[in-house]
Amino acid sequence: MQRVIVIGAGVGGLATAIRLAVLGYQVTVYEQNSSPGGRISLLESDGYRFNTGPALFTDPHLIEELFHLAEEPVASCFSYQELTNSCRYFFFNGKVANAYTNSSALEREFADKLGEPEKMLGKYMETAERVYRGIGDVFTSRPIYRCSEWWKKGVWKGITSCNPSLLYHTLNEYNERHLTTGEAIQVFNQFAAYAGSSPFRSPAMLIMIAHLALSSGVFYLKGGMGMTSMVQALYKLALKKGVLFQFGKKVTRIIHTGSMVRGVVVDDENIYSDIVVADADIHFVYSRLLRQPAKAACIAGKEPGSSAVVFYWGIKKLFPKLHLHNILFSASCKHEFEHIFGKRILHKDPTLHISITSKMESGQAPEGCENWVVMLNAPSDAGIDWSSQLPQIRQQVLKKIRGMLKEDIEPLIEVEQVLHPGIIRDATNALHGALYGQSAHTLRGTFFRPSNFDKDFPGVFFCGGTVHPGGGVPLCLKSAAIVSELVKKAFPIVKET
């Protein structure tokens, strides 16, 4: 039986392990942490529960597909509900609007609350869907660095179906041409941040994210643990399929003789295998595990995407005006992104993302209380002493909330934990603490992220948020599908006769 070693038990690593085990490979996963999930975990304190991963989820069929492949029932261990409102937007001028997932309701809401003409928004969303169907889905589901993929049905049709202006204009330029109100432009500019990028420097092709975030269906994972419940479902499925897990085991090197991969080194012990899948930051893999300084330097030379500062707050009060997912916008989107990507410092008036899962399920916070996860976009680590800056950042965040919600929440905070780019860098080996690797400020950065394989090391494959097709749970799941197909073609299992 062909043996596969998977480095890392993040979402990409778990999904890859499941797919390969279903195909008949003997899979062992080595994870340096004590539990699966990677950047998705659960924090608990004094009755409050916080998910370190996102509160919203798209494309649940990608999870269901894994259960179907494994011929296991999905309903008993993975359940979700579709949301009619994916987000509530709060603007600096006092306007408030909901991001309804029904296109007609969204158009009416933006017309009534923001003054954005329904026809213009409808046309915009139709374009976003067309771009995703034509380009996004094609590129995110294929190993695009294989020349043969470019000649398959649908690829060139998708490419030629898109308006060239989406390639040559920035997202902000496109939004200003096709939307009329400043608030609507700010909403759709913000989707560039989902790719760790600035709308003033990213290509307009990123409008496809608007389709994914608003129109294709947005879901909440149930089970009392949000995204952590998904991780546990994948972990249990992997165990059912015979995947072995070694937690608290850090891989320090990928063994190779020239281009031939031989296995990995774990705790000074050689573990042999001809196939290694790395669910880890791609720069870390090249610099520390494969020890290829030239390849690592090439990756390090690309502009990193943004990172985040996150406050986990237990709030001893209910806020009916807030939804599961809320965005409190900066007064100046342009100045905020200039600070993050130009000056590489935080803006004094940051956009805040507030997720509150206790809005959806009981048991997430004590009765009469809420669990707030407050995130602000931050530059990837640029030599900032985050620990010394946190008190000032905290006060800026509290001031922002006080100004927009008209209430001082500082006396209401009874539990607090913090995450910043330095912690992300040290805990996940992420280059500069960037959340999803390189930025999408060029077409190459948008569509041609580091490959899922390396022709110089045919036994090594890469999945996860820093390689093709990109960051976020759905794309990590797609990277797993790509990698499993690559492994199957390169190292087919020979059935005994």
Side-chain angles (χ1 to χ4, degrees), residues 73-90:
V74 64
S76 61
C77 50
F78 175 73
S79 60
Y80 56 87
Q81 67 183 88
E82 187 167 5
L83 300 175
T84 57
N85 179 15
S86 66
C87 185
R88 184 163 292 161
Y89 299 125
F90 296 80

mmCIF file with all atom_site columns, all heavy atoms in Angstrom, residues 73-90:
data_model
loop_
_atom_site.group_PDB
_atom_site.id
_atom_site.type_symbol
_atom_site.label_atom_id
_atom_site.label_alt_id
_atom_site.label_comp_id
_atom_site.label_asym_id
_atom_site.label_entity_id
_atom_site.label_seq_id
_atom_site.pdbx_PDB_ins_code
_atom_site.Cartn_x
_atom_site.Cartn_y
_atom_site.Cartn_z
_atom_site.occupancy
_atom_site.B_iso_or_equiv
_atom_site.pdbx_formal_charge
_atom_site.auth_seq_id
_atom_site.auth_comp_id
_atom_site.auth_asym_id
_atom_site.auth_atom_id
_atom_site.pdbx_PDB_model_num
ATOM 1   N N   . PRO A 1 73 ? -22.657 8.948  6.189  1.00 0.00 ? 73 PRO A N   1
ATOM 2   C CA  . PRO A 1 73 ? -23.741 9.930  6.335  1.00 0.00 ? 73 PRO A CA  1
ATOM 3   C C   . PRO A 1 73 ? -23.207 11.254 6.860  1.00 0.00 ? 73 PRO A C   1
ATOM 4   O O   . PRO A 1 73 ? -22.340 11.287 7.735  1.00 0.00 ? 73 PRO A O   1
ATOM 5   C CB  . PRO A 1 73 ? -24.682 9.262  7.343  1.00 0.00 ? 73 PRO A CB  1
ATOM 6   C CG  . PRO A 1 73 ? -23.802 8.315  8.109  1.00 0.00 ? 73 PRO A CG  1
ATOM 7   C CD  . PRO A 1 73 ? -22.772 7.824  7.136  1.00 0.00 ? 73 PRO A CD  1
ATOM 8   N N   . VAL A 1 74 ? -23.716 12.333 6.325  1.00 0.00 ? 74 VAL A N   1
ATOM 9   C CA  . VAL A 1 74 ? -23.208 13.642 6.706  1.00 0.00 ? 74 VAL A CA  1
ATOM 10  C C   . VAL A 1 74 ? -24.076 14.332 7.753  1.00 0.00 ? 74 VAL A C   1
ATOM 11  O O   . VAL A 1 74 ? -23.574 15.095 8.587  1.00 0.00 ? 74 VAL A O   1
ATOM 12  C CB  . VAL A 1 74 ? -23.067 14.554 5.467  1.00 0.00 ? 74 VAL A CB  1
ATOM 13  C CG1 . VAL A 1 74 ? -24.426 14.818 4.844  1.00 0.00 ? 74 VAL A CG1 1
ATOM 14  C CG2 . VAL A 1 74 ? -22.375 15.862 5.807  1.00 0.00 ? 74 VAL A CG2 1
ATOM 15  N N   . ALA A 1 75 ? -25.372 14.081 7.740  1.00 0.00 ? 75 ALA A N   1
ATOM 16  C CA  . ALA A 1 75 ? -26.295 14.857 8.573  1.00 0.00 ? 75 ALA A CA  1
ATOM 17  C C   . ALA A 1 75 ? -26.032 14.714 10.064 1.00 0.00 ? 75 ALA A C   1
ATOM 18  O O   . ALA A 1 75 ? -26.236 15.661 10.830 1.00 0.00 ? 75 ALA A O   1
ATOM 19  C CB  . ALA A 1 75 ? -27.736 14.441 8.262  1.00 0.00 ? 75 ALA A CB  1
ATOM 20  N N   . SER A 1 76 ? -25.566 13.559 10.489 1.00 0.00 ? 76 SER A N   1
ATOM 21  C CA  . SER A 1 76 ? -25.401 13.327 11.918 1.00 0.00 ? 76 SER A CA  1
ATOM 22  C C   . SER A 1 76 ? -24.216 14.071 12.517 1.00 0.00 ? 76 SER A C   1
ATOM 23  O O   . SER A 1 76 ? -24.145 14.271 13.729 1.00 0.00 ? 76 SER A O   1
ATOM 24  C CB  . SER A 1 76 ? -25.244 11.823 12.183 1.00 0.00 ? 76 SER A CB  1
ATOM 25  O OG  . SER A 1 76 ? -24.093 11.326 11.517 1.00 0.00 ? 76 SER A OG  1
ATOM 26  N N   . CYS A 1 77 ? -23.270 14.495 11.703 1.00 0.00 ? 77 CYS A N   1
ATOM 27  C CA  . CYS A 1 77 ? -22.067 15.124 12.257 1.00 0.00 ? 77 CYS A CA  1
ATOM 28  C C   . CYS A 1 77 ? -21.733 16.475 11.632 1.00 0.00 ? 77 CYS A C   1
ATOM 29  O O   . CYS A 1 77 ? -20.768 17.112 12.050 1.00 0.00 ? 77 CYS A O   1
ATOM 30  C CB  . CYS A 1 77 ? -20.870 14.184 12.097 1.00 0.00 ? 77 CYS A CB  1
ATOM 31  S SG  . CYS A 1 77 ? -20.675 13.528 10.447 1.00 0.00 ? 77 CYS A SG  1
ATOM 32  N N   . PHE A 1 78 ? -22.526 16.893 10.673 1.00 0.00 ? 78 PHE A N   1
ATOM 33  C CA  . PHE A 1 78 ? -22.245 18.177 10.036 1.00 0.00 ? 78 PHE A CA  1
ATOM 34  C C   . PHE A 1 78 ? -23.564 18.801 9.605  1.00 0.00 ? 78 PHE A C   1
ATOM 35  O O   . PHE A 1 78 ? -24.233 18.309 8.705  1.00 0.00 ? 78 PHE A O   1
ATOM 36  C CB  . PHE A 1 78 ? -21.328 17.977 8.825  1.00 0.00 ? 78 PHE A CB  1
ATOM 37  C CG  . PHE A 1 78 ? -21.070 19.235 8.031  1.00 0.00 ? 78 PHE A CG  1
ATOM 38  C CD1 . PHE A 1 78 ? -20.239 20.225 8.535  1.00 0.00 ? 78 PHE A CD1 1
ATOM 39  C CD2 . PHE A 1 78 ? -21.660 19.422 6.796  1.00 0.00 ? 78 PHE A CD2 1
ATOM 40  C CE1 . PHE A 1 78 ? -20.005 21.383 7.798  1.00 0.00 ? 78 PHE A CE1 1
ATOM 41  C CE2 . PHE A 1 78 ? -21.427 20.573 6.060  1.00 0.00 ? 78 PHE A CE2 1
ATOM 42  C CZ  . PHE A 1 78 ? -20.590 21.551 6.559  1.00 0.00 ? 78 PHE A CZ  1
ATOM 43  N N   . SER A 1 79 ? -23.986 19.859 10.271 1.00 0.00 ? 79 SER A N   1
ATOM 44  C CA  . SER A 1 79 ? -25.252 20.504 9.933  1.00 0.00 ? 79 SER A CA  1
ATOM 45  C C   . SER A 1 79 ? -25.062 22.009 9.858  1.00 0.00 ? 79 SER A C   1
ATOM 46  O O   . SER A 1 79 ? -24.181 22.571 10.509 1.00 0.00 ? 79 SER A O   1
ATOM 47  C CB  . SER A 1 79 ? -26.334 20.154 10.962 1.00 0.00 ? 79 SER A CB  1
ATOM 48  O OG  . SER A 1 79 ? -25.958 20.590 12.254 1.00 0.00 ? 79 SER A OG  1
ATOM 49  N N   . TYR A 1 80 ? -25.902 22.643 9.092  1.00 0.00 ? 80 TYR A N   1
ATOM 50  C CA  . TYR A 1 80 ? -25.768 24.085 8.882  1.00 0.00 ? 80 TYR A CA  1
ATOM 51  C C   . TYR A 1 80 ? -27.125 24.664 8.528  1.00 0.00 ? 80 TYR A C   1
ATOM 52  O O   . TYR A 1 80 ? -28.069 23.937 8.197  1.00 0.00 ? 80 TYR A O   1
ATOM 53  C CB  . TYR A 1 80 ? -24.761 24.368 7.770  1.00 0.00 ? 80 TYR A CB  1
ATOM 54  C CG  . TYR A 1 80 ? -25.083 23.687 6.464  1.00 0.00 ? 80 TYR A CG  1
ATOM 55  C CD1 . TYR A 1 80 ? -25.929 24.287 5.536  1.00 0.00 ? 80 TYR A CD1 1
ATOM 56  C CD2 . TYR A 1 80 ? -24.541 22.448 6.160  1.00 0.00 ? 80 TYR A CD2 1
ATOM 57  C CE1 . TYR A 1 80 ? -26.230 23.668 4.339  1.00 0.00 ? 80 TYR A CE1 1
ATOM 58  C CE2 . TYR A 1 80 ? -24.843 21.809 4.966  1.00 0.00 ? 80 TYR A CE2 1
ATOM 59  C CZ  . TYR A 1 80 ? -25.681 22.430 4.051  1.00 0.00 ? 80 TYR A CZ  1
ATOM 60  O OH  . TYR A 1 80 ? -25.988 21.806 2.873  1.00 0.00 ? 80 TYR A OH  1
ATOM 61  N N   . GLN A 1 81 ? -27.216 25.965 8.610  1.00 0.00 ? 81 GLN A N   1
ATOM 62  C CA  . GLN A 1 81 ? -28.428 26.647 8.198  1.00 0.00 ? 81 GLN A CA  1
ATOM 63  C C   . GLN A 1 81 ? -28.074 27.808 7.289  1.00 0.00 ? 81 GLN A C   1
ATOM 64  O O   . GLN A 1 81 ? -27.054 28.494 7.490  1.00 0.00 ? 81 GLN A O   1
ATOM 65  C CB  . GLN A 1 81 ? -29.225 27.149 9.405  1.00 0.00 ? 81 GLN A CB  1
ATOM 66  C CG  . GLN A 1 81 ? -28.570 28.261 10.206 1.00 0.00 ? 81 GLN A CG  1
ATOM 67  C CD  . GLN A 1 81 ? -29.384 28.661 11.417 1.00 0.00 ? 81 GLN A CD  1
ATOM 68  O OE1 . GLN A 1 81 ? -29.251 28.088 12.492 1.00 0.00 ? 81 GLN A OE1 1
ATOM 69  N NE2 . GLN A 1 81 ? -30.239 29.659 11.236 1.00 0.00 ? 81 GLN A NE2 1
ATOM 70  N N   . GLU A 1 82 ? -28.899 28.010 6.271  1.00 0.00 ? 82 GLU A N   1
ATOM 71  C CA  . GLU A 1 82 ? -28.653 29.105 5.347  1.00 0.00 ? 82 GLU A CA  1
ATOM 72  C C   . GLU A 1 82 ? -29.161 30.409 5.958  1.00 0.00 ? 82 GLU A C   1
ATOM 73  O O   . GLU A 1 82 ? -30.210 30.450 6.600  1.00 0.00 ? 82 GLU A O   1
ATOM 74  C CB  . GLU A 1 82 ? -29.339 28.844 4.012  1.00 0.00 ? 82 GLU A CB  1
ATOM 75  C CG  . GLU A 1 82 ? -28.990 29.871 2.957  1.00 0.00 ? 82 GLU A CG  1
ATOM 76  C CD  . GLU A 1 82 ? -29.413 29.462 1.564  1.00 0.00 ? 82 GLU A CD  1
ATOM 77  O OE1 . GLU A 1 82 ? -30.070 28.396 1.431  1.00 0.00 ? 82 GLU A OE1 1
ATOM 78  O OE2 . GLU A 1 82 ? -29.081 30.180 0.608  1.00 0.00 ? 82 GLU A OE2 1
ATOM 79  N N   . LEU A 1 83 ? -28.395 31.466 5.763  1.00 0.00 ? 83 LEU A N   1
ATOM 80  C CA  . LEU A 1 83 ? -28.731 32.772 6.322  1.00 0.00 ? 83 LEU A CA  1
ATOM 81  C C   . LEU A 1 83 ? -29.442 33.634 5.284  1.00 0.00 ? 83 LEU A C   1
ATOM 82  O O   . LEU A 1 83 ? -29.065 33.644 4.108  1.00 0.00 ? 83 LEU A O   1
ATOM 83  C CB  . LEU A 1 83 ? -27.467 33.493 6.792  1.00 0.00 ? 83 LEU A CB  1
ATOM 84  C CG  . LEU A 1 83 ? -26.643 32.787 7.867  1.00 0.00 ? 83 LEU A CG  1
ATOM 85  C CD1 . LEU A 1 83 ? -25.374 33.569 8.144  1.00 0.00 ? 83 LEU A CD1 1
ATOM 86  C CD2 . LEU A 1 83 ? -27.451 32.622 9.149  1.00 0.00 ? 83 LEU A CD2 1
ATOM 87  N N   . THR A 1 84 ? -30.461 34.352 5.718  1.00 0.00 ? 84 THR A N   1
ATOM 88  C CA  . THR A 1 84 ? -31.115 35.302 4.822  1.00 0.00 ? 84 THR A CA  1
ATOM 89  C C   . THR A 1 84 ? -30.388 36.642 4.824  1.00 0.00 ? 84 THR A C   1
ATOM 90  O O   . THR A 1 84 ? -30.542 37.434 3.902  1.00 0.00 ? 84 THR A O   1
ATOM 91  C CB  . THR A 1 84 ? -32.573 35.526 5.243  1.00 0.00 ? 84 THR A CB  1
ATOM 92  O OG1 . THR A 1 84 ? -32.606 35.984 6.608  1.00 0.00 ? 84 THR A OG1 1
ATOM 93  C CG2 . THR A 1 84 ? -33.364 34.228 5.145  1.00 0.00 ? 84 THR A CG2 1
ATOM 94  N N   . ASN A 1 85 ? -29.602 36.886 5.870  1.00 0.00 ? 85 ASN A N   1
ATOM 95  C CA  . ASN A 1 85 ? -28.828 38.120 5.986  1.00 0.00 ? 85 ASN A CA  1
ATOM 96  C C   . ASN A 1 85 ? -27.403 37.743 6.365  1.00 0.00 ? 85 ASN A C   1
ATOM 97  O O   . ASN A 1 85 ? -27.160 37.225 7.455  1.00 0.00 ? 85 ASN A O   1
ATOM 98  C CB  . ASN A 1 85 ? -29.447 39.041 7.042  1.00 0.00 ? 85 ASN A CB  1
ATOM 99  C CG  . ASN A 1 85 ? -28.667 40.331 7.230  1.00 0.00 ? 85 ASN A CG  1
ATOM 100 O OD1 . ASN A 1 85 ? -27.833 40.693 6.405  1.00 0.00 ? 85 ASN A OD1 1
ATOM 101 N ND2 . ASN A 1 85 ? -28.933 41.032 8.322  1.00 0.00 ? 85 ASN A ND2 1
ATOM 102 N N   . SER A 1 86 ? -26.466 37.980 5.474  1.00 0.00 ? 86 SER A N   1
ATOM 103 C CA  . SER A 1 86 ? -25.086 37.554 5.735  1.00 0.00 ? 86 SER A CA  1
ATOM 104 C C   . SER A 1 86 ? -24.325 38.551 6.589  1.00 0.00 ? 86 SER A C   1
ATOM 105 O O   . SER A 1 86 ? -23.366 38.175 7.269  1.00 0.00 ? 86 SER A O   1
ATOM 106 C CB  . SER A 1 86 ? -24.333 37.359 4.415  1.00 0.00 ? 86 SER A CB  1
ATOM 107 O OG  . SER A 1 86 ? -24.180 38.593 3.726  1.00 0.00 ? 86 SER A OG  1
ATOM 108 N N   . CYS A 1 87 ? -24.752 39.827 6.589  1.00 0.00 ? 87 CYS A N   1
ATOM 109 C CA  . CYS A 1 87 ? -23.976 40.843 7.317  1.00 0.00 ? 87 CYS A CA  1
ATOM 110 C C   . CYS A 1 87 ? -24.822 42.095 7.512  1.00 0.00 ? 87 CYS A C   1
ATOM 111 O O   . CYS A 1 87 ? -25.739 42.382 6.732  1.00 0.00 ? 87 CYS A O   1
ATOM 112 C CB  . CYS A 1 87 ? -22.707 41.179 6.517  1.00 0.00 ? 87 CYS A CB  1
ATOM 113 S SG  . CYS A 1 87 ? -21.581 42.298 7.365  1.00 0.00 ? 87 CYS A SG  1
ATOM 114 N N   . ARG A 1 88 ? -24.512 42.834 8.568  1.00 0.00 ? 88 ARG A N   1
ATOM 115 C CA  . ARG A 1 88 ? -25.127 44.144 8.781  1.00 0.00 ? 88 ARG A CA  1
ATOM 116 C C   . ARG A 1 88 ? -24.019 45.195 8.703  1.00 0.00 ? 88 ARG A C   1
ATOM 117 O O   . ARG A 1 88 ? -23.010 45.097 9.401  1.00 0.00 ? 88 ARG A O   1
ATOM 118 C CB  . ARG A 1 88 ? -25.837 44.199 10.129 1.00 0.00 ? 88 ARG A CB  1
ATOM 119 C CG  . ARG A 1 88 ? -26.587 45.508 10.400 1.00 0.00 ? 88 ARG A CG  1
ATOM 120 C CD  . ARG A 1 88 ? -27.590 45.319 11.527 1.00 0.00 ? 88 ARG A CD  1
ATOM 121 N NE  . ARG A 1 88 ? -28.675 44.429 11.096 1.00 0.00 ? 88 ARG A NE  1
ATOM 122 C CZ  . ARG A 1 88 ? -29.487 43.796 11.937 1.00 0.00 ? 88 ARG A CZ  1
ATOM 123 N NH1 . ARG A 1 88 ? -29.342 43.955 13.246 1.00 0.00 ? 88 ARG A NH1 1
ATOM 124 N NH2 . ARG A 1 88 ? -30.442 43.010 11.478 1.00 0.00 ? 88 ARG A NH2 1
ATOM 125 N N   . TYR A 1 89 ? -24.232 46.181 7.834  1.00 0.00 ? 89 TYR A N   1
ATOM 126 C CA  . TYR A 1 89 ? -23.230 47.223 7.594  1.00 0.00 ? 89 TYR A CA  1
ATOM 127 C C   . TYR A 1 89 ? -23.593 48.500 8.344  1.00 0.00 ? 89 TYR A C   1
ATOM 128 O O   . TYR A 1 89 ? -24.721 48.983 8.268  1.00 0.00 ? 89 TYR A O   1
ATOM 129 C CB  . TYR A 1 89 ? -23.123 47.537 6.098  1.00 0.00 ? 89 TYR A CB  1
ATOM 130 C CG  . TYR A 1 89 ? -22.690 46.376 5.239  1.00 0.00 ? 89 TYR A CG  1
ATOM 131 C CD1 . TYR A 1 89 ? -23.460 45.970 4.148  1.00 0.00 ? 89 TYR A CD1 1
ATOM 132 C CD2 . TYR A 1 89 ? -21.504 45.689 5.499  1.00 0.00 ? 89 TYR A CD2 1
ATOM 133 C CE1 . TYR A 1 89 ? -23.069 44.921 3.337  1.00 0.00 ? 89 TYR A CE1 1
ATOM 134 C CE2 . TYR A 1 89 ? -21.095 44.639 4.695  1.00 0.00 ? 89 TYR A CE2 1
ATOM 135 C CZ  . TYR A 1 89 ? -21.879 44.259 3.621  1.00 0.00 ? 89 TYR A CZ  1
ATOM 136 O OH  . TYR A 1 89 ? -21.489 43.205 2.820  1.00 0.00 ? 89 TYR A OH  1
ATOM 137 N N   . PHE A 1 90 ? -22.617 49.051 9.046  1.00 0.00 ? 90 PHE A N   1
ATOM 138 C CA  . PHE A 1 90 ? -22.766 50.326 9.746  1.00 0.00 ? 90 PHE A CA  1
ATOM 139 C C   . PHE A 1 90 ? -21.790 51.323 9.124  1.00 0.00 ? 90 PHE A C   1
ATOM 140 O O   . PHE A 1 90 ? -20.580 51.061 9.070  1.00 0.00 ? 90 PHE A O   1
ATOM 141 C CB  . PHE A 1 90 ? -22.464 50.175 11.235 1.00 0.00 ? 90 PHE A CB  1
ATOM 142 C CG  . PHE A 1 90 ? -23.427 49.277 11.969 1.00 0.00 ? 90 PHE A CG  1
ATOM 143 C CD1 . PHE A 1 90 ? -23.304 47.891 11.901 1.00 0.00 ? 90 PHE A CD1 1
ATOM 144 C CD2 . PHE A 1 90 ? -24.454 49.804 12.735 1.00 0.00 ? 90 PHE A CD2 1
ATOM 145 C CE1 . PHE A 1 90 ? -24.180 47.055 12.580 1.00 0.00 ? 90 PHE A CE1 1
ATOM 146 C CE2 . PHE A 1 90 ? -25.339 48.984 13.419 1.00 0.00 ? 90 PHE A CE2 1
ATOM 147 C CZ  . PHE A 1 90 ? -25.206 47.597 13.335 1.00 0.00 ? 90 PHE A CZ  1
#
